[in-house]
PDB file of all heavy atoms in Angstrom:
ATOM      1  N   THR A 425     144.773 150.542  12.190  1.00  0.00           N
ATOM      2  CA  THR A 425     145.539 149.714  13.109  1.00  0.00           C
ATOM      3  C   THR A 425     145.921 148.440  12.455  1.00  0.00           C
ATOM      4  O   THR A 425     147.091 147.929  12.723  1.00  0.00           O
ATOM      5  CB  THR A 425     144.677 149.569  14.432  1.00  0.00           C
ATOM      6  OG1 THR A 425     144.456 150.866  15.004  1.00  0.00           O
ATOM      7  CG2 THR A 425     145.534 148.694  15.406  1.00  0.00           C
ATOM      8  N   LEU A 426     144.835 147.705  11.930  1.00  0.00           N
ATOM      9  CA  LEU A 426     145.208 146.398  11.263  1.00  0.00           C
ATOM     10  C   LEU A 426     146.126 146.408  10.173  1.00  0.00           C
ATOM     11  O   LEU A 426     147.017 145.522   9.933  1.00  0.00           O
ATOM     12  CB  LEU A 426     143.949 145.646  10.953  1.00  0.00           C
ATOM     13  CG  LEU A 426     143.057 145.355  12.176  1.00  0.00           C
ATOM     14  CD1 LEU A 426     141.878 144.473  11.618  1.00  0.00           C
ATOM     15  CD2 LEU A 426     143.743 144.449  13.182  1.00  0.00           C
ATOM     16  N   ARG A 427     146.076 147.547   9.274  1.00  0.00           N
ATOM     17  CA  ARG A 427     147.045 147.733   8.234  1.00  0.00           C
ATOM     18  C   ARG A 427     148.414 147.781   8.857  1.00  0.00           C
ATOM     19  O   ARG A 427     149.394 147.232   8.306  1.00  0.00           O
ATOM     20  CB  ARG A 427     146.696 148.946   7.465  1.00  0.00           C
ATOM     21  CG  ARG A 427     145.443 148.857   6.593  1.00  0.00           C
ATOM     22  CD  ARG A 427     145.208 150.139   5.967  1.00  0.00           C
ATOM     23  NE  ARG A 427     146.102 150.500   4.848  1.00  0.00           N
ATOM     24  CZ  ARG A 427     145.945 150.032   3.536  1.00  0.00           C
ATOM     25  NH1 ARG A 427     144.937 149.299   3.206  1.00  0.00           N
ATOM     26  NH2 ARG A 427     146.870 150.410   2.716  1.00  0.00           N
ATOM     27  N   LYS A 428     148.621 148.629   9.910  1.00  0.00           N
ATOM     28  CA  LYS A 428     149.874 148.717  10.480  1.00  0.00           C
ATOM     29  C   LYS A 428     150.364 147.388  11.197  1.00  0.00           C
ATOM     30  O   LYS A 428     151.536 146.958  10.795  1.00  0.00           O
ATOM     31  CB  LYS A 428     149.883 149.762  11.598  1.00  0.00           C
ATOM     32  CG  LYS A 428     151.093 149.847  12.394  1.00  0.00           C
ATOM     33  CD  LYS A 428     150.865 150.588  13.781  1.00  0.00           C
ATOM     34  CE  LYS A 428     150.530 152.106  13.504  1.00  0.00           C
ATOM     35  NZ  LYS A 428     150.575 152.795  14.756  1.00  0.00           N
ATOM     36  N   VAL A 429     149.528 146.773  11.872  1.00  0.00           N
ATOM     37  CA  VAL A 429     149.952 145.462  12.539  1.00  0.00           C
ATOM     38  C   VAL A 429     150.237 144.361  11.642  1.00  0.00           C
ATOM     39  O   VAL A 429     151.171 143.702  11.773  1.00  0.00           O
ATOM     40  CB  VAL A 429     148.993 145.142  13.658  1.00  0.00           C
ATOM     41  CG1 VAL A 429     149.277 143.729  14.337  1.00  0.00           C
ATOM     42  CG2 VAL A 429     148.946 146.227  14.652  1.00  0.00           C
ATOM     43  N   ARG A 430     149.391 144.227  10.633  1.00  0.00           N
ATOM     44  CA  ARG A 430     149.572 143.104   9.714  1.00  0.00           C
ATOM     45  C   ARG A 430     150.885 143.417   8.867  1.00  0.00           C
ATOM     46  O   ARG A 430     151.562 142.454   8.421  1.00  0.00           O
ATOM     47  CB  ARG A 430     148.327 142.884   8.828  1.00  0.00           C
ATOM     48  CG  ARG A 430     147.276 142.325   9.656  1.00  0.00           C
ATOM     49  CD  ARG A 430     145.946 142.080   8.714  1.00  0.00           C
ATOM     50  NE  ARG A 430     144.906 141.625   9.657  1.00  0.00           N
ATOM     51  CZ  ARG A 430     143.690 141.220   9.186  1.00  0.00           C
ATOM     52  NH1 ARG A 430     143.427 141.539   7.934  1.00  0.00           N
ATOM     53  NH2 ARG A 430     142.750 140.871  10.121  1.00  0.00           N
ATOM     54  N   GLY A 431     151.075 144.719   8.516  1.00  0.00           N
ATOM     55  CA  GLY A 431     152.285 145.018   7.791  1.00  0.00           C
ATOM     56  C   GLY A 431     153.530 144.646   8.647  1.00  0.00           C
ATOM     57  O   GLY A 431     154.504 144.156   8.131  1.00  0.00           O
ATOM     58  N   ALA A 432     153.399 144.828   9.916  1.00  0.00           N
ATOM     59  CA  ALA A 432     154.575 144.393  10.819  1.00  0.00           C
ATOM     60  C   ALA A 432     154.781 142.949  10.884  1.00  0.00           C
ATOM     61  O   ALA A 432     155.930 142.492  11.085  1.00  0.00           O
ATOM     62  CB  ALA A 432     154.273 145.012  12.280  1.00  0.00           C
ATOM     63  N   ILE A 433     153.701 142.220  10.681  1.00  0.00           N
ATOM     64  CA  ILE A 433     153.917 140.743  10.666  1.00  0.00           C
ATOM     65  C   ILE A 433     154.400 140.241   9.311  1.00  0.00           C
ATOM     66  O   ILE A 433     155.356 139.412   9.290  1.00  0.00           O
ATOM     67  CB  ILE A 433     152.569 140.029  10.955  1.00  0.00           C
ATOM     68  CG1 ILE A 433     152.088 140.338  12.367  1.00  0.00           C
ATOM     69  CG2 ILE A 433     152.588 138.523  10.785  1.00  0.00           C
ATOM     70  CD1 ILE A 433     150.703 139.938  12.718  1.00  0.00           C
TER      71      ILE A 433
END
Side-chain angles (χ1 to χ4, degrees):
T425 298
L426 291 185
R427 287 176 71 87
K428 175 196 293 188
V429 173
R430 291 182 182 178
I433 294 173

